[in-house]
Amino acid sequence: LPDFVGEARGHLEDAEAALLEVEQSPDDLELINRIFRTFHTIKGVAGFMNMEAMVELAHSPEYLLDEFRKDNLVCTEQHTTLIFACCDTMGQMLEYLLGGEAPLQAEVQHLVDQTTLAAKNEPFQPGALGTGGPQQAPNVPQRDDSGAAAGEAAPPGEATAEQQPTSSPERGQ
């Protein structure tokens, strides 16, 4: 497990460095391939280790990057912002494997949903949950200070989905 975390961290650092370069050269296929390989590699090893949430999160930007590779989409600043958010959340998942705090299930699902929309060339929120600004997808409910959707109350004593840590990856696997 520590070997996987160390290797995955290195892959994410490489992907982030390549993403910075892609912002200047969005049509550089070698950079896109380099980032794609990061997510593909992490997804494969996480799948072998039965870490379904990490597999799902890695698959989403991989799918988006494949659309760039096929020349079906052009990578924009909003796309790179979204992929950076995936890298950050994946990094948090890796920290969780070593005893850190797990990312929230809602954050992981939000990133999966938004990268899927982006890959389909549909409106998407470019950043992490709650940071989308004017391009926020219309189907994302606004949250009040308690974390409940507007007009919806969380049952007493129960955490909302945003307050639930992701159940996978699980430590010790």
Side-chain angles (χ1 to χ4, degrees), residues 52-120:
E52 291 183 31
M54 189 173 290
V55 168
E56 185 176 19
L57 180 58
H59 176 73
S60 296
E62 179 189 37
Y63 175 54
L64 174 59
L65 289 155
D66 199 37
E67 292 302 304
F68 302 145
R69 292 170 13 139
K70 294 176 183 174
D71 207 22
N72 292 336
L73 292 173
V74 174
C75 186
T76 67
E77 182 180 343
Q78 288 80 19
H79 291 115
T80 59
T81 298
L82 182 59
I83 296 168
F84 271 121
C86 290
C87 288
D88 289 346
T89 300
M90 190 160 292
Q92 191 177 357
M93 291 174 126
L94 293 169
E95 291 303 315
Y96 172 70
L97 292 172
L98 298 178
E101 186 176 325
L104 301 175
Q105 288 177 350
E107 179 67 20
V108 174
Q109 189 59 53
H110 170 77
L111 290 170
V112 168
D113 293 345
Q114 297 309 305
T115 54
T116 300
L117 288 171
K120 294 178 180 178

Side-chain angles (χ1 to χ4, degrees), residues 38-52:
T38 289
F39 289 105
H40 184 75
T41 300
I42 292 172
K43 181 182 85 172
V45 177
F48 177 75
M49 297 177 76
N50 207 21
M51 298 175 187
E52 291 183 31

Side-chain angles (χ1 to χ4, degrees), residues 123-140:
F124 67 96
Q125 183 178 345
L129 192 61
T131 62
Q135 290 195 344
Q136 183 168 346
N139 62 348
V140 177

Side-chain angles (χ1 to χ4, degrees), residues 1-65:
L1 188 61
D3 291 340
F4 166 67
V5 171
E7 186 176 313
R9 282 179 180 157
H11 286 301
L12 287 175
E13 287 173 12
D14 184 56
E16 289 173 342
L19 275 168
L20 290 172
E21 292 181 54
V22 164
E23 289 181 330
Q24 303 305 312
S25 304
D27 58 350
D28 187 327
L29 190 57
E30 183 50 42
L31 291 171
I32 297 292
N33 283 328
R34 207 165 104 195
I35 302 163
F36 175 90
R37 282 190 300 271
T38 289
F39 289 105
H40 184 75
T41 300
I42 292 172
K43 181 182 85 172
V45 177
F48 177 75
M49 297 177 76
N50 207 21
M51 298 175 187
E52 291 183 31
M54 189 173 290
V55 168
E56 185 176 19
L57 180 58
H59 176 73
S60 296
E62 179 189 37
Y63 175 54
L64 174 59
L65 289 155

